[in-house]
Amino acid sequence: MSQGRCNTAILVSGSGTNLQAFIDRSQAGAISLDIGLVFSNRGNAFGLQRAKHSGLETACLEHTSFPDRESFDRAVAKLIDRREAQLLVLAGYMRILSPWFVQHFEGRILNIHPALLPAYPGLHTHERVLEAGETQHGSTVHFVNEALDAGPRVLQGRLTVDPNETAAELAERVQAIEHQIYPQAADWFATGRLRSRDGMAYLDGKPLHEPVIVDFPDRAG
Ligand code: GRF
């Protein structure tokens, strides 16, 4: 790790477009973190290929070969601790974390969820947003606690929903926002500006009772 840069482990289960955004920004020196490990619970995750292509260290453990959630999580934690990662970035990591894992890395795990939390936790957010006729949607970076999609919120990217767009089009727009806000929030952590304590996120020492919200331009055309 270069001096002063935050050693980060990124956990993926799938395509890894968010991982790619971190790789690009880290290599360009635009964010103060180094990716010390890319971990996946799926051997065929395309994110692992992206990492290898960029010369990053990778590791994979299939959760199916462990008897229960915690024993798997303990093995994953061992891999991460061996690299002395200071920050964990969940980037499409499709595993519910055991309480043990969350406590072990308390205040050091970030996640991104494709909705304006606390609205629409869980899966299929774009479809549900369109079905409900919502006018706004987006994505949320938050610290991870033991409850699903419910940890202290940090940063939201927000857009106006076009009622004529499909769920796939909406997903694409939300992902483009994620690729900007996620590295940004992680950089706040890497530079010591962002912390989590007693169930609250703090930015520059001030409690974030509401997340920072960035509005993105309307859909063209
Ligand atoms: C993202 O949309 C993120 O919000 C969710 O999982 C997706 C991961 O996509 N947690 P990718 O693998 O980074 O392309």
Side-chain angles (χ1 to χ4, degrees), residues 14-19 91-94 111-114 139 175 178-179:
S15 151
T17 64
N18 278 283
L19 165 66
Y93 185 57
M94 301 303 283
N111 183 42
I112 191 158
H113 178 75
S139 191
Q175 277 220 322
E178 293 185 333
H179 301 160

Side-chain angles (χ1 to χ4, degrees), residues 110-112 139-143 152-156 181-182 185:
L110 288 174
N111 183 42
I112 191 158
S139 191
T140 306
V141 181
H142 65 95
F143 281 103
R153 295 167 301 153
V154 175
L155 178 57
Q156 291 186 324
I181 64 170
Y182 206 4

Side-chain angles (χ1 to χ4, degrees), residues 112-128:
I112 191 158
H113 178 75
L116 297 173
L117 291 172
Y120 300 99
L123 298 174
H124 310 299
T125 56
H126 314 300
E127 289 83 351
R128 287 156 60 207

Side-chain angles (χ1 to χ4, degrees), residues 7-10 19 35-40 47-48 51-60 79 82-83:
N7 184 15
T8 302
I10 302 189
L19 165 66
I35 304 167
L37 177 68
V38 175
F39 172 81
S40 182
L48 284 176
K52 284 180 191 151
H53 182 74
S54 297
L56 297 172
E57 196 168 334
T58 62
C60 177
L79 287 173
R82 210 178 287 154
R83 274 75 172 193

